[in-house]
Structures are given as structure tokens and as C-alpha cells.
Amino acid sequence: MKKWEENIRQVTPYVPGEQPQEENIIKLNTNENPYPPTRKAVEAYLTTDFTKLGLYPDPTASELVGALEKYYGLEEGQVTVGAGSDDVLSLSFLTFFNSDKPILFPDVTYSFYPVWAEVYRIPYECPPLDKDFRIRPEDYKKENGGIVIANPNAPTSLGMASSEIEEILQANPDVIVIVDEAYVDFGGESMLPLLSRYENLLIVRTYSKSRSLAGMRIGFAMGSKELIQALRNVQASINSYPLTRETIRVGSAALEDEEMFQKNLKRVLHTREWAKKELEQRGFLVLDSQTNFLFARHERVSGQRLFEKLRDRGIYVRHFNGERIREYLRITVGTKEQMERLVSTLDELL
Ligand SMILES: *Cc1c(COP(=O)(O)O)cnc(C)c1O
């Protein structure tokens, strides 16, 4: 081993779902939205003033931050933005989890959490979900250095009632509790109404799933002014200009087209319930999703085998090799046509 190798920070990176380059792939593996972004968002992108691209963007993205504060009925100073919610979450781990005590998150959840804990050297513990893949609030009532909960959870697709998360907040006034609401627009219960009562609550959201803008990279955090200021200070100490000029414009404009946004959401929810029934008729156990994906296991065929067979036929879903979930597939809800292709392909395979 070379001497300098000792100085390298060793990490096992998070592995996102594949982004295949071939045409004609049905891509149901990274929970993207199958519908295009709203008209106003596209218009904002197309009318970006390219003569200004030589200038740095607004470091605080105040146009977007202001639009989000207004949209969610918050006060000035309660929102900060980042390059996707992965950026916001990662910086939140760095900002808020500085105790020697372990932070807590479930054993089955967004697999980026243990990666950030490792890279920032944050000790962590993972209380197991119960046998039905539910988060038990009582597991989060022991001493800890902070808590992060995805609600609805991924990859299980299950949501918790906000009263259950409030139970966790009540038991943890001395640490920061992060609620990752990446999927909440698809039918979960948001913690937003509780924000004014808990100064130690940070809600993180993304434009990547419900707003059809994964390629734009926009995420944001909502919380008390104190939490947001602390997060902004760390953000500004690492990257002064996390969002590009056109990203800031598109992010703001996307909030102005509520009708089209709601229409796209409804289509996803409708297709989700249709696909769930179709899968159940074909021998799948499908959890009750509050997200834009289904978490499902077949009664006979193994998760790995189904994943490979579907992939051979150009349908990409996500398969995780974790001990408790390796028989399951995480299937993004695509368009009705894509889901029909999935179902007819399964008919050939099963
Ligand atoms: C997709 C996802 C994110 C990250 O989304 P970005 O594209 O980085 O905004 C964060 N948390 C969960 C639970 C997710 O599924």
C-alpha cells in the first residue's frame, strides 16, 4: 500500500438505478414521473436569457426560495434549496448530526442514509421495521443523536400518519428530526402543519418525483428559521451557487401551474391502483402504496429472477439485495401504456 493511500477517505458509494442508453426501454426503476413537466416550467426553461449565462446565478436562489415560501404558506427564512434533495439531505446530515450518539433510521429505508452517515463518520443505528414493514414510533424513543424518517418510506411505499411522527417528535425535543417527504405528494400525510410547533423538525422535499423534474435537480428544506439558517451557513461554506440560473427559473415557474400538476398526479395515482390490482391477480403481494411506485413480491418466483427476466425483455425495475427485501421488486408507476406492457410481459413470464 502506498503511503498516501492512508489519507484517502474510503467509502462504499450509493448505487442509483440504471439509466439505460438504449431506446425502447420501459424504465420503471428510479421513480421518475412518466409525464412531462408543466407548461409554465418548460416555457421558463426555453426563455432563459442565454446572454446572462456568463454570470453566476443568485447564490441564495431567492426567486425560487420566495416562491416556495409563498406556495407552502411559510415565512421568509423558512426554506432553503439545493441541487436535488440528495444534496439537501446530505448537507442536513453534515449540519445537524454532530453528536457522538448514534442517529436513528429504519433498517429498510432510502439506502443513501447509511452512505451519508459513513462518509461523514456519523454513528448510526437502524431499528427494524415490524413484520408488515411499518415504522414503530416506540423504537425512536431512546437516546440518539438525531432521526431521519422517509415518509412515505422507500422502498416499502408505506406512509405513516403524521400523528405517529408527532409521537417521535414529542419524545425527541433535544435532537433534530428530519422527515424526507420525497413522495408525499402522491398521497402521504405531510408534517407541514406541524412545522410551527416543532423548531427541531426539518422537512425535505424534491421536484424529482411529483414535479417531473428529476433532470433539473431541485430539492428544498422547510423548517424553523434557526434550522434553515444553520443549513444555509453550511451550504454556503461548501458550494456558493448550487442551482443554475435556468434551474431557479424553472423551479419557480413550476409552482404556477397547479392544475396541470394535480392532473399529472391523479393520472399516476389512477394507474398505480390499476396496476396494483393487475399484479395481485397474477400472484403478487403488493403493499399499499402512498407513493409513485409499488413494492411487490411474487408468491412463487424469486425477486432476482423476475428482475432479470424483465430486464431481458427491456423492462427495468429495481431490485435490492437486502436480507428482508430480496424477494421484492420496486416498480415505478409509469404511464398506463407502460404498465400494460409490464402486465402483458409478466403474463408471458409467469
Ligand atoms: C428520490 C429520493 C430522493 C432524492 O431525490 P433527488 O432527485 O435528489 O431530489 C430523496 N429521498 C428519497 C426517499 C427518494 O426516494
Side-chain angles (χ1 to χ4, degrees), residues 174-195:
D174 299 330
V175 297
I176 286 154
V177 177
I178 299 176
V179 181
D180 179 352
E181 294 191 337
Y183 298 102
V184 80
D185 289 330
F186 297 103
E189 233 185 282
S190 175
M191 295 304 288
L192 202 59
L194 293 182
L195 214 49

Side-chain angles (χ1 to χ4, degrees), residues 31 83-87 89 110 113 150 154 180 182-183 205-209 214 217-219:
N31 298 342
S85 62
D86 285 342
D87 181 37
L89 284 163
Y110 189 35
Y113 301 155
D180 179 352
Y183 298 102
R205 297 236 192 142
T206 176
Y207 277 56
S208 298
K209 294 14 190 291
R217 313 306 300 129
I218 309 174

Side-chain angles (χ1 to χ4, degrees), residues 60-130:
T60 57
S62 50
E63 181 191 347
L64 176 56
V65 164
L68 284 164
E69 284 164 348
K70 184 160 163 257
Y71 184 87
Y72 288 106
L74 297 170
E75 288 174 26
E76 198 181 327
Q78 288 202 276
V79 170
T80 186
V81 294
S85 62
D86 285 342
D87 181 37
V88 175
L89 284 163
S90 144
L91 291 169
S92 302
F93 271 52
L94 184 62
T95 310
F96 300 123
F97 296 158
N98 283 293
S99 150
D100 296 331
K101 292 171 198 150
I103 62 165
L104 305 177
F105 50 83
D107 64 338
V108 178
T109 189
Y110 189 35
S111 44
F112 227 139
Y113 301 155
V115 175
W116 288 317
E118 295 280 347
V119 75
Y120 295 134
R121 312 274 195 265
I122 301 164
Y124 62 99
E125 271 174 32
C126 299
L129 300 179
D130 73 10

Side-chain angles (χ1 to χ4, degrees), residues 94-340:
L94 184 62
T95 310
F96 300 123
F97 296 158
N98 283 293
S99 150
D100 296 331
K101 292 171 198 150
I103 62 165
L104 305 177
F105 50 83
D107 64 338
V108 178
T109 189
Y110 189 35
S111 44
F112 227 139
Y113 301 155
V115 175
W116 288 317
E118 295 280 347
V119 75
Y120 295 134
R121 312 274 195 265
I122 301 164
Y124 62 99
E125 271 174 32
C126 299
L129 300 179
D130 73 10
K131 62 170 185 16
D132 300 318
F133 287 137
R134 300 255 168 211
I135 292 168
R136 282 181 301 216
E138 55 271 29
D139 291 342
Y140 296 83
K141 294 180 181 175
K142 57 178 166 190
E143 235 193 349
N144 66 74
I147 292 172
V148 55
I149 301 272
N151 188 50
N153 197 14
T156 64
S157 79
L158 300 175
M160 273 171 110
S162 67
S163 58
E164 289 178 292
I165 300 189
E166 185 165 18
E167 207 183 312
I168 294 176
L169 279 162
Q170 272 167 356
N172 288 281
D174 299 330
V175 297
I176 286 154
V177 177
I178 299 176
V179 181
D180 179 352
E181 294 191 337
Y183 298 102
V184 80
D185 289 330
F186 297 103
E189 233 185 282
S190 175
M191 295 304 288
L192 202 59
L194 293 182
L195 214 49
S196 56
R197 303 224 309 274
Y198 295 92
E199 287 187 321
N200 58 328
L201 166 65
L202 189 83
I203 299 173
V204 178
R205 297 236 192 142
T206 176
Y207 277 56
S208 298
K209 294 14 190 291
S210 58
R211 293 198 182 272
S212 308
L213 284 164
M216 225 42 226
R217 313 306 300 129
I218 309 174
F220 57 102
M222 303 184 277
S224 61
K225 292 177 193 179
E226 234 178 310
L227 287 196
I228 294 301
Q229 190 55 56
L231 184 51
R232 284 182 183 172
N233 289 346
V234 171
Q235 287 185 300
S237 310
I238 291 181
N239 181 358
S240 310
Y241 309 104
L243 297 195
T244 67
R245 283 179 174 276
E246 71 272 25
T247 307
I248 293 167
R249 282 173 55 83
V250 171
S252 319
L255 301 173
E256 289 165 18
D257 217 339
E258 189 64 21
E259 201 181 317
M260 191 170 168
F261 172 58
Q262 294 295 340
K263 208 174 109 200
N264 282 351
L265 284 181
K266 280 211 191 77
R267 285 202 279 183
V268 172
L269 299 195
H270 192 265
T271 308
R272 176 182 79 197
E273 295 312 307
W274 175 85
K276 180 172 192 277
K277 281 203 201 81
E278 295 292 316
L279 291 174
E280 284 169 345
Q281 282 164 15
R282 287 161 179 82
F284 281 91
L285 171 84
V286 189
L287 303 198
D288 274 325
S289 172
Q290 288 185 284
T291 62
N292 67 336
F293 60 89
L294 295 168
F295 199 52
R297 147 173 92 73
H298 195 261
E299 59 190 3
R300 283 180 292 106
V301 190
S302 83
Q304 178 70 33
R305 200 177 146 74
L306 263 181
F307 166 75
E308 285 167 7
K309 292 261 171 210
L310 285 170
R311 197 169 178 281
D312 289 345
R313 286 170 166 73
I315 300 180
Y316 283 53
V317 298
R318 195 89 202 262
H319 176 247
F320 295 97
N321 230 333
E323 197 181 309
R324 298 181 69 185
I325 55 174
R326 64 168 59 103
E327 295 313 327
Y328 285 80
L329 298 177
R330 193 197 68 188
I331 307 168
T332 305
V333 177
T335 60
K336 184 78 185 288
E337 295 69 32
Q338 290 177 318
M339 299 314 269
E340 281 165 357

